[in-house]
Amino acid sequence: MSESCDLVVVGAGPAGMAAAATALDGGLRVTLVDSGAAPGGQFWRHPPLFARETVSTADLHHELSTYRALCATLSAHERTGRLALLLNHHVWTTARDEDGFAVHAVDRGGAPEERPVVLRAPALLVATGAYDRQLPFPGWDLPGVLTAGGLQSLLKGGGVVAGSRVVLGGTGPFLLPVAAALAARGAQVAAVCEAAAPSAWLRHPAALLRNPAKWAEGARYAGTLARHRVPVRTRTAIVGAEGEGRVAVVRTASLDADGRPVPGTERRIEADTVGVGWGFVPQLDLLLPLGCDLVDAGDGTMAAAVDDGQRTTAPGVYTAGETCGVGGAALAVSEGRVAAVSVLTDLSAPGRPGTRPAAERRAVARHRAFARAMAQAHPLPPAWPAWLTDDTTICRCEEVTAGAVRSACADDSAADHRQVKQLTRAGMGWCQGRMCGPAVHGLVARAEPYAPSERLIATPVTLGALANCGESTSDHT
């Protein structure tokens, strides 16, 4: 085994790239590991290298100057040998060892078999982002029903428009760029159904005034939707989907103040594709086994608890980006830089970071304030379970229905989603509750934020990789 690095950064999205670049500029040796084929994460997702000459997705991206600058910094340090960039590596667990941390991953970069890899460093920075939160409705398991994030990934990753006539629904500003991109690429967006009311933002004028780029961006999306005559229906939700073998009709309804469908307002819209997004859930799988404390993120989820230097409550563990609560790419970049400065300070690194910590902390505070306002302006409808029939599938992996979950809670047998899992198998399938966990939690304990279960294995791995993990080495450790 060769000499270990100073810092392992897991996740090469905006937060991870910014953290790695700052740490490298400060003199550390860094290993940056990501499951994707290129750095950028979901926000800066690009087509594969072999397809970039024929597929252009530059118009779908924002802040590309920041991305290119980070890529240039990382490439320069990679050439000097200070950076080990490990792509197509899936981290499945993290653990403490004698000298710091052991990060266990599998290399899925094209070899016939997965190769187990262990990365070791005295400091660990987790920047694994978040994933789409879904609220089920009758018919959401039909082919053609996707997450809003899935629709955007198809667009950014391959220029693929998933359908010809699309209906989007959910809540939050993320619906707007997805709708605008689909419309600009030729899809007919039949409706955008926003469950919240725009007037909710009037209660947060300071957040808007301090972040003019945010509302300016929203205005641009609104202009695109207006040019393509896309109707945006507020206080409205998708409450059902129908079709034989594939979605063909979407049912929408106006919502009352609690989120219940208003009688007599239901509409039927023909569509071959549906995109639904109810915000995001922080990806905390690698932090929980290390004992990192969580806090209420203010949007119905839990996030990692950090100090003003992005240190978690577990010594030597840092985190940045959506793991600390969903707030966008600009926030993630600033948090990544702040976290890296903390690592440099704590390890007494010899160099100086090419960033201004005080300015970045102010940026974090400003963006976090906007994120809190966004969560309050776009809450989950409290009465969303009223949309569900008893035969609506909640857990698609194990085919558990809403009726089964309600029965498990009827006599107080289940107090949370973990006990529902034990009684009904909801969450025991391939996704391990990532898709159904928030929904099951909402049916059981609506008032409490959703906290994911601790998983010692964060991503599916082969038995061979597990058997060899203790003896695994890496040329980069």
Side-chain angles (χ1 to χ4, degrees), residues 132-161:
D132 291 84
R133 175 169 56 187
Q134 290 294 284
L135 299 183
F137 53 85
W140 78 305
D141 50 348
L142 282 170
V145 180
L146 294 83
T147 65
L151 288 173
Q152 189 185 65
S153 293
L154 289 171
L155 282 166
K156 288 186 174 181
V160 175
V161 179

Side-chain angles (χ1 to χ4, degrees), residues 5-6 23-31 76-84 350:
C5 67
D6 300 309
L24 288 161
D25 286 343
L28 297 185
R29 293 163 299 168
V30 177
T31 297
H77 286 291
E78 192 174 17
R79 288 192 295 270
T80 67
R82 300 191 68 83
L83 169 67

Side-chain angles (χ1 to χ4, degrees), residues 400-449:
V400 179
T401 64
V405 174
R406 285 166 172 159
S407 295
C409 304
D411 57 358
D412 295 326
S413 298
D416 59 24
H417 65 276
R418 297 172 182 83
Q419 291 180 315
V420 170
K421 177 178 179 179
Q422 295 169 349
L423 294 172
T424 68
R425 294 190 58 84
M428 288 191 179
W430 180 263
C431 82
Q432 286 292 285
R434 290 175 180 84
M435 290 292 289
C436 68
V440 172
H441 175 79
L443 287 172
V444 181
R446 302 179 194 174
E448 299 297 324

Side-chain angles (χ1 to χ4, degrees), residues 348-436:
S348 300
R352 294 174 61 87
T355 188
R356 296 180 298 166
E360 294 296 347
R361 286 192 176 95
R362 288 194 296 271
V364 167
R366 187 179 75 253
H367 291 305
R368 274 281 160 225
F370 184 86
R372 288 191 294 270
M374 180 175 66
Q376 294 172 25
H378 296 273
L380 296 185
W384 69 264
W387 312 343
L388 306 179
T389 59
D390 279 346
D391 60 353
T392 302
T393 299
I394 299 296
C395 172
R396 297 197 279 193
C397 297
E398 295 293 326
E399 299 182 349
V400 179
T401 64
V405 174
R406 285 166 172 159
S407 295
C409 304
D411 57 358
D412 295 326
S413 298
D416 59 24
H417 65 276
R418 297 172 182 83
Q419 291 180 315
V420 170
K421 177 178 179 179
Q422 295 169 349
L423 294 172
T424 68
R425 294 190 58 84
M428 288 191 179
W430 180 263
C431 82
Q432 286 292 285
R434 290 175 180 84
M435 290 292 289
C436 68

Side-chain angles (χ1 to χ4, degrees), residues 188-459:
Q188 181 184 2
V189 181
V192 176
C193 301
E194 165 60 65
S199 58
W201 277 103
L202 298 177
R203 295 192 293 271
H204 309 282
L208 289 173
L209 292 174
R210 294 182 64 198
N211 293 274
K214 295 287 188 182
W215 54 262
E217 182 181 353
R220 289 196 298 272
Y221 293 137
T224 299
L225 298 182
R227 287 195 303 273
H228 291 277
R229 298 184 179 179
V230 175
V232 178
R233 296 172 181 158
T234 58
R235 300 296 305 173
T236 303
I238 296 172
V239 296
E242 302 170 2
E244 294 295 331
R246 182 182 176 86
V247 63
V249 173
V250 174
R251 292 186 287 109
T252 70
S254 299
L255 303 178
D256 64 16
D258 291 328
R260 297 180 184 276
V262 177
T265 64
E266 186 170 300
R267 301 185 184 186
R268 296 171 61 86
I269 304 173
E270 293 184 359
D272 58 17
T273 303
V274 180
V276 188
W278 294 95
F280 300 90
V281 179
Q283 183 73 274
L284 305 173
D285 290 345
L286 299 180
L287 294 169
L288 292 176
L290 295 171
C292 299
D293 288 348
L294 305 181
V295 295
D296 186 346
D299 61 357
T301 67
M302 298 290 280
V306 294
D307 66 9
D308 61 359
Q310 300 300 130
R311 300 174 182 88
T312 71
T313 55
V317 182
Y318 310 78
T319 190
E322 313 286 47
T323 49
C324 306
V326 175
L331 171 60
V333 168
S334 291
E335 286 185 340
R337 290 170 176 158
V338 169
V341 171
S342 295
V343 176
L344 291 167
T345 301
D346 296 345
L347 295 183
S348 300
R352 294 174 61 87
T355 188
R356 296 180 298 166
E360 294 296 347
R361 286 192 176 95
R362 288 194 296 271
V364 167
R366 187 179 75 253
H367 291 305
R368 274 281 160 225
F370 184 86
R372 288 191 294 270
M374 180 175 66
Q376 294 172 25
H378 296 273
L380 296 185
W384 69 264
W387 312 343
L388 306 179
T389 59
D390 279 346
D391 60 353
T392 302
T393 299
I394 299 296
C395 172
R396 297 197 279 193
C397 297
E398 295 293 326
E399 299 182 349
V400 179
T401 64
V405 174
R406 285 166 172 159
S407 295
C409 304
D411 57 358
D412 295 326
S413 298
D416 59 24
H417 65 276
R418 297 172 182 83
Q419 291 180 315
V420 170
K421 177 178 179 179
Q422 295 169 349
L423 294 172
T424 68
R425 294 190 58 84
M428 288 191 179
W430 180 263
C431 82
Q432 286 292 285
R434 290 175 180 84
M435 290 292 289
C436 68
V440 172
H441 175 79
L443 287 172
V444 181
R446 302 179 194 174
E448 299 297 324
Y450 170 70
S453 302
E454 180 178 332
R455 305 180 182 95
L456 295 180
I457 299 177
T459 188

